[in-house]
Amino acid sequence: VAGGFSAGKSSLLNALTGIGNLLPTGIEPMSMVKTNLNCSSSYNSLIVRGENIKGDVVLLNKDVLACVQHASKSKVYVASVLNKIIIDVPTSKAPYLDGVTFVDTPGYDNSHNTNKENQTKDVDTALAAISDADVLFWCIDIEKGTVPDNDLRTLKQIQQVNEEMPIDS
């Protein structure tokens, strides 16, 4: 699930997967990491893990994601300690999601500056996450009313890199 900053990507995934407001949806621009939501009927409870910058996967308290929403105030950014977040989502209430993994990406247009936390640009993090996907859902800010030119250019760039991912409007 990709799109521009504040296009509703995380809000869509929160609602679609039934995980409440677990994914950060703040309106403050901040650097984020790729987040995988693994949906399966074999999970009995919601589990949040993170791959740290050393490559180890660690169990996280759900409250860690709530802290991300307030990162601009605390100046502690998740990208300084994690490469990605992994959320295991039980599908007992949404069996149609069984076996689906969603990849939540940061807004590609959040900032074109290199993040001091992980030495990458948000656009690079988003494009790398998109390259892991089989299907791309592009979210558009409802207040813009149409697909902005910047989004169209980015979608064409994605298609040039991955010709097997046709872009349909």
Side-chain angles (χ1 to χ4, degrees), residues 10 14 16 26 28 36 42 51 54 69 76 85 91 103 111 122-123 128 153-155:
S10 296
N14 281 336
L16 187 63
E28 284 288 320
N36 289 359
S42 65
E51 179 184 289
K54 294 180 180 182
Q69 301 223 39
V76 175
I85 295 171
T91 59
V103 181
S111 171
D122 286 343
V123 65
R153 283 190 297 276
T154 302
L155 285 165

Side-chain angles (χ1 to χ4, degrees), residues 9-139:
K9 301 174 296 293
S10 296
S11 295
L12 171 69
L13 288 171
N14 281 336
L16 187 63
T17 60
I19 59 175
N21 291 322
L22 185 65
L23 295 175
T25 58
I27 58 172
E28 284 288 320
M30 68 181 75
S31 300
M32 206 35 209
V33 296
K34 174 176 85 167
T35 303
N36 289 359
L37 290 93
N38 303 315
C39 303
S40 176
S41 60
S42 65
Y43 303 137
N44 295 322
S45 62
L46 190 80
I47 299 170
V48 180
R49 297 173 288 144
E51 179 184 289
N52 67 22
I53 57 175
K54 294 180 180 182
D56 298 324
V57 176
V58 295
L59 190 61
L60 300 173
N61 185 306
K62 289 182 250 183
D63 295 334
V64 168
L65 292 178
C67 294
V68 171
Q69 301 223 39
H70 307 291
S72 61
K73 292 177 186 169
S74 68
K75 302 296 183 207
V76 175
Y77 295 93
V78 70
S80 64
V81 293
L82 296 177
N83 290 326
K84 71 178 170 182
I85 295 171
I86 304 145
I87 303 173
D88 296 333
V89 181
T91 59
S92 57
K93 294 182 182 176
Y96 50 88
L97 294 178
D98 190 34
V100 174
T101 294
F102 291 101
V103 181
D104 188 17
T105 66
Y108 76 92
D109 57 350
N110 184 12
S111 171
H112 291 287
N113 298 320
T114 300
N115 302 316
K116 64 181 179 181
E117 297 83 23
N118 61 8
Q119 303 303 308
T120 61
K121 297 176 185 174
D122 286 343
V123 65
D124 296 331
T125 301
L127 291 175
I130 291 167
S131 71
D132 290 344
D134 294 322
V135 176
L136 177 63
F137 292 95
W138 196 266
C139 294

